[in-house]
Amino acid sequence: MQLFLLTAHEIHELLIKKEISAEELNKAIYARIEAVDDRIQAYITRTAGKALDQARAVDKQISNGEKVTPLAGIPIAIKDNICTDGIKTTAGSKILSNYTPPYSATVVKKLEAAGATIAGKVNLDEFAMGSSNENSAFFATRNPWDTSRVPGGSSGGSAAAVAAGAAVCSLGSDTGGSIRQPASFCGVVGMKPTYGAVSRYGLIAYASSLDQIGPFARDVTDCALMLNAICGHDPLDSTSAKQRAMDYTSFLKDDVRGLKLGVPEEYMVEGIDPDVRDLVIKAMEKLESLGAVVEYTTLPHTDYALPTYYLIAQAEASSNLARYDGVRYGVRTEGTGDVMDMFMKTRSEGFGAEVKRRILLGTYALAAANYDHYYLKALKVRTLIKEDFVQAFKRYDLLLSPVSPTTAFPIGEKMDDPLQMYLSDICTISVNLAGMPGLSIPCGFVGGLPVGLQLIGRPFDEGTLLRTAYTFEQNTDYHKQYPDL
Amino acid sequence: MQISGKDVGQLAFLSRLDLTADDLTICTKSLNEILGYLTVLEELDTGAVKPALHVRPIKNVLREDALQPGLEREQVLANGPEVEDGAFVVPRIV
């Protein structure tokens, strides 16, 4: 039995039957990391020692007959823009390459409270700005299905680690598609919860009105278990929602009869690879055969989503990233002169090209002379985009679309053309602008590379997404296929 | 609307970034491409539309005015590039 291929819920059964120990499990995952990560390069920091201590504590609880949670002992990889007390947290940036947070993000505390072990910190595009992981200041993570290709981004390390068996589940963050697109490229389940469903406290901010933490998992059941652990109100995040606690596994029903599913035609037209589109159509037909009603619908302002996103996200980024000044944390580059000289040198050496480009664009959009024309305009169009979803959800329980227009692209292909890179997020960004939950689930392969189906739900209706995804999964076998590493 | 290298230089200064001549040329070119792409928003009449700063209807989230535990000074200073006598040290300001 290869432990690294199992899901968390399968492992949990073995743990409570005492067929394996959490220590064995964590050692098996570490052996897998040792065996494959020189080719995948998902991990920036590995935390084997700490994880084994946590695992032994879980084993003790089990041998004492104590009840443990479904995530107890399960090794989880954390995207390196989520703060971990005493463990280096770099955000994939040179400017934070020496930063060790004195506190943990709320999501990390919650996972640790559930007994999960932290396998390590995984790679990302610098400050989560990118769609391929190539913007990491350290190295480019590779796609486990084809190591000459990108894993997607920005949570590429989180997706690749789970796909490669180098973690059972992981956490990522999604500002414009940064969980769903790498989940699609790596053939795993990835979910961006509703804005406000998961605390952002301890997440290194990119664009605060769009950022949301969410899970990666090998199947929908594990995704629900991760949501159970991380969702909930947090007084330390003022945008966090006061929700009723719920058990997301209660939605795991193999039944979509009567559900009304809309497919926005704007996500199925030009620019979408025909093979990807065909798989989405097959998925529509599959759900229809299982009893759902599937119809084409429209989100009329889709063409305006990408420019709106880039104005809002970069305006927020230019403000959020002003804090990196070489004074309180991070790498300082000394100048020869005064404090201004130090600020300029620190930021110029510490940030990569894409981060600088986005800061400049954001600063431009917020400049007094441009504010109304760019930033305010984008906020107004955001209202129209959100309204499109409100109208669609009057008629449909959820929406279906491709996650990304293509499968994973070759490393280097889009690095010199930022606009082409940005188009990789065309199907996912509106969901962040509107604050809806979105999920990527494997729906087939093109040329041996995975393709993801995106499900988009009403705010705080993660349940219908899980139910539909679970039904799809029970009636297909894409989630049972693994890359040959 | 096209922006010049000089404009980008000024933006860089406002952003506290020191761009090399090559960086400035590359950034000016790509920013102009991106700004060209953004003009599509001008097609929309948004005169009567309210801006959406946030998607959720929240404002003025307050907490109880009570003392909360915080980090120790040493923990906070531990990441400082230069620290002395319980304070962060920076180069000459005036």
Side-chain angles (χ1 to χ4, degrees), chain B residues 8-43:
Chain B
V8 176
Q10 176 61 16
L11 280 177
F13 175 73
L14 290 172
S15 310
R16 302 293 181 258
L17 293 170
D18 197 3
L19 299 182
T20 63
D22 279 356
D23 283 349
L24 193 70
T25 310
I26 295 167
C27 268
T28 306
K29 181 171 173 284
S30 64
L31 282 175
N32 273 313
E33 278 171 21
I34 295 166
L35 289 172
Y37 177 66
L38 298 178
T39 55
V40 66
L41 296 182
E42 290 165 17
E43 294 169 8

Side-chain angles (χ1 to χ4, degrees), chain A residues 254-263 282-296 395-400 453 455 464 467-469 471-472 475:
Chain A
D254 183 0
D255 180 13
V256 287
R257 282 171 301 169
L259 280 184
K260 288 196 75 177
L261 314 181
V263 180
K282 272 191 186 156
M284 289 161 57
E285 290 166 356
K286 171 63 90 177
L287 288 164
E288 206 164 24
S289 75
L290 294 166
V293 178
V294 186
E295 293 172 359
Y296 279 99
R395 281 168 290 135
Y396 300 100
D397 297 303
L398 55 83
L399 304 176
L400 299 181
L453 171 72
L455 311 180
T464 304
R467 174 182 158 195
T468 308
T471 305
F472 185 75
N475 292 279

Side-chain angles (χ1 to χ4, degrees), chain A residues 355-372:
Chain A
V355 172
K356 288 178 191 168
R357 178 158 44 224
R358 293 190 189 201
I359 291 173
L360 290 171
L361 179 62
T363 306
Y364 183 73
L366 288 174
N370 305 325
Y371 184 89
D372 285 2

